[in-house]
Amino acid sequence: MQLDPVSLAAILAMAASTYFTRIFGYWLVRRTTVGGRMASALEAVPGAILTAIIAPMAFATGPAESGAALITVLLALRLPLIVAVAGGCLAVVALRALLA
């Protein structure tokens, strides 16, 4: 197995940008007391990021992925986010097996 130098460079650049973003975020709010509206906004970030990543795929792919996205949303309304994500993963596997 060989690793393409361009792929390796892309992976390293993504890792560096992720690390920089995380450190910069901590640096930016280190002198700020997080409370009220800021805390609410920061709590909404993980769900917003997952939605931004998953929504285009749910609408651009087949019925199994769209169904799994719907199941994930329904699970997320009642359960913790990690449980909803795990349920969505299981749902896409099951729906692909049933619809294939």
Side-chain angles (χ1 to χ4, degrees):
M1 182 166 133
Q2 291 183 321
L3 183 60
D4 180 32
V6 175
S7 297
L8 179 61
I11 291 168
L12 292 174
M14 287 185 282
S17 64
T18 301
Y19 180 75
F20 174 74
T21 303
R22 187 172 201 119
I23 294 301
F24 183 71
Y26 288 131
W27 179 80
L28 191 63
V29 297
R30 72 177 180 208
R31 295 185 185 122
T32 305
T33 303
V34 179
R37 296 174 85 185
M38 175 79 90
S40 297
L42 290 174
E43 288 173 4
V45 170
I49 291 172
L50 281 174
T51 302
I53 293 170
I54 294 169
M57 185 180 297
F59 295 116
T61 56
E65 290 79 7
S66 298
L70 177 64
I71 291 169
T72 304
V73 168
L74 294 174
L75 290 173
L77 292 174
R78 295 283 182 180
L79 301 171
L81 189 58
I82 190 71
V83 176
V85 171
C89 291
L90 292 172
V92 77
V93 170
L95 288 173
R96 283 180 180 171
L98 288 174
L99 299 175

